[in-house]
Amino acid sequence: MMLLAYGCTSRCHIGKNGSEGLTVKVASYGNKSIAFGVIANGSGDRKIADVACASSIKIYSDWFFEQLKEDTIRFAESNIDQIRTEWEALQLMLRSKAYDYAVREQTGVDVLSAVLLVDTFSHNLYVLDSIGIGIYRIRKSGAELILSPHIERSVIDNGFETKHNRVPIHCVSQFEKVASTQCVSTPRWYSCSLKGGDQGKTCGESVYLLCTGNIIANSLPEELSRIFRPEEISDQLSAKIRLERLVRYGGTGSDRFDVGSGSAILIRYST
């Protein structure tokens, strides 16, 4: 069993507001692996947003390294409720610190995060998301959206306005009966089995793309299926080339390079 993971982020160089950052880490235990990742989205003045993003990445990474040190991360499946509680507490702490800073400095700043954990012990994917990411699962049979992006957010004056975006029909997951909106103050939780195949059959290879909403909205499932076929993602270099192009172009439907902002993490799972 193998996990291959890679992440890429890009932001518009013209704007003076907002920031995104990410980290991806993989730990191995013999023939077992754990992948951990964070996408951080900061709003407000870019310098402040950069600090907010870096703080989110550091705090969640410190959590992951502590779990490795205590050797508890391998047992995520039996301890997932506690992990979710700890992640939510870290998100609340980060946003509280950002709010305190905003009040003190009379400015606007906030930080949201999407945290993921994938392991070949339980063969599960776990995600806590307050950004509004989307997730595609790509197999030989094609690409399917398993988590829809719903959230758009903008800064107004010294406060924040939450807008519920209208996503294209192909960005509404078939697994969601109602494409309900999510409030950014309430992180959503998502989990799925990596091994589940069609009609109960075990699936040996899958690629998971976790992307910010603008990339999902500008990507066609058939193009993602063509570009990110599991057999084409054979090593770190092949993942890097494909994912960086997707992010720099802001999706599959653009021919303009490096014009927008967005982040994505690729996870390749094989048995």
Side-chain angles (χ1 to χ4, degrees):
M1 286 168 284
M2 181 187 75
L3 285 179
L4 184 153
Y6 186 77
C8 180
T9 187
S10 177
R11 67 182 182 184
C12 179
H13 297 292
I14 300 175
K16 297 180 180 180
N17 295 307
S19 179
E20 283 197 356
L22 61 77
T23 187
V24 180
K25 308 176 190 302
V26 179
S28 298
Y29 295 82
N31 66 337
K32 305 287 186 179
S33 301
I34 294 172
F36 175 79
V38 180
I39 297 176
N41 183 306
S43 61
D45 178 80
R46 176 154 290 180
K47 290 183 179 180
I48 301 173
D50 282 345
V51 174
C53 285
S55 298
S56 175
I57 290 171
K58 182 181 186 305
I59 286 174
Y60 280 110
S61 296
D62 287 348
W63 174 90
F64 178 64
F65 289 135
E66 185 64 24
Q67 300 301 308
L68 290 178
K69 180 180 177 181
E70 296 179 359
D71 199 25
T72 58
I73 197 69
R74 289 185 295 152
F75 311 103
E77 187 176 28
S78 61
N79 203 29
I80 197 61
D81 289 338
Q82 181 178 342
I83 290 176
R84 178 179 178 178
T85 299
E86 291 176 359
W87 284 0
E88 289 178 340
L90 291 176
Q91 173 68 105
L92 180 61
M93 180 192 68
L94 283 162
R95 298 197 72 201
S96 295
K97 287 182 177 294
Y99 176 79
D100 291 342
Y101 180 89
V103 171
R104 185 171 64 250
E105 300 296 328
Q106 291 297 295
T107 186
V109 61
D110 197 7
V111 59
L112 303 177
S113 309
V115 193
L116 71 98
L117 181 67
V118 183
D119 71 88
T120 59
F121 292 91
S122 67
H123 304 279
N124 288 325
L125 164 69
Y126 305 104
V127 177
L128 181 76
D129 170 42
S130 60
I131 295 175
I133 62 168
I135 303 178
Y136 266 100
R137 177 166 53 202
I138 303 167
R139 295 171 172 165
K140 290 182 179 180
S141 57
E144 56 184 351
L145 187 70
I146 60 176
L147 182 66
S148 302
H150 290 309
I151 301 168
E152 283 187 354
R153 183 193 49 164
S154 63
V155 181
I156 53 171
D157 299 327
N158 292 328
F160 296 91
E161 176 188 47
T162 301
K163 299 188 300 183
H164 303 298
N165 58 334
R166 295 181 179 179
V167 297
I169 189 64
H170 74 270
C171 294
V172 177
S173 169
Q174 62 174 309
F175 299 96
E176 297 173 272
K177 295 182 179 179
V178 179
S180 59
T181 54
Q182 292 282 337
C183 176
V184 293
S185 62
T186 306
R188 56 180 176 170
W189 176 259
Y190 179 80
S191 64
C192 69
S193 171
L194 302 175
K195 296 182 69 174
D198 297 332
Q199 298 178 347
K201 297 180 181 179
T202 299
C203 182
E205 294 180 325
S206 300
V207 169
Y208 292 83
L209 284 177
L210 297 88
C211 307
T212 49
N214 57 318
I215 295 178
I216 293 291
N218 294 323
S219 296
L220 297 175
E222 55 269 27
E223 283 297 297
L224 292 176
S225 180
R226 179 183 64 83
I227 297 169
F228 294 99
R229 291 193 303 269
E231 60 269 26
E232 297 293 331
I233 312 297
S234 57
D235 52 28
Q236 198 80 5
L237 180 60
S238 58
K240 171 184 170 67
I241 292 172
R242 288 166 172 79
L243 192 66
E244 287 190 355
R245 189 185 192 284
L246 179 74
V247 172
R248 302 298 186 190
Y249 279 81
T252 64
S254 172
D255 58 0
R256 299 181 62 191
F257 182 78
D258 205 16
V259 295
S261 300
S263 300
I265 293 176
L266 179 152
I267 303 289
R268 185 187 187 278
Y269 166 83
S270 62
T271 57

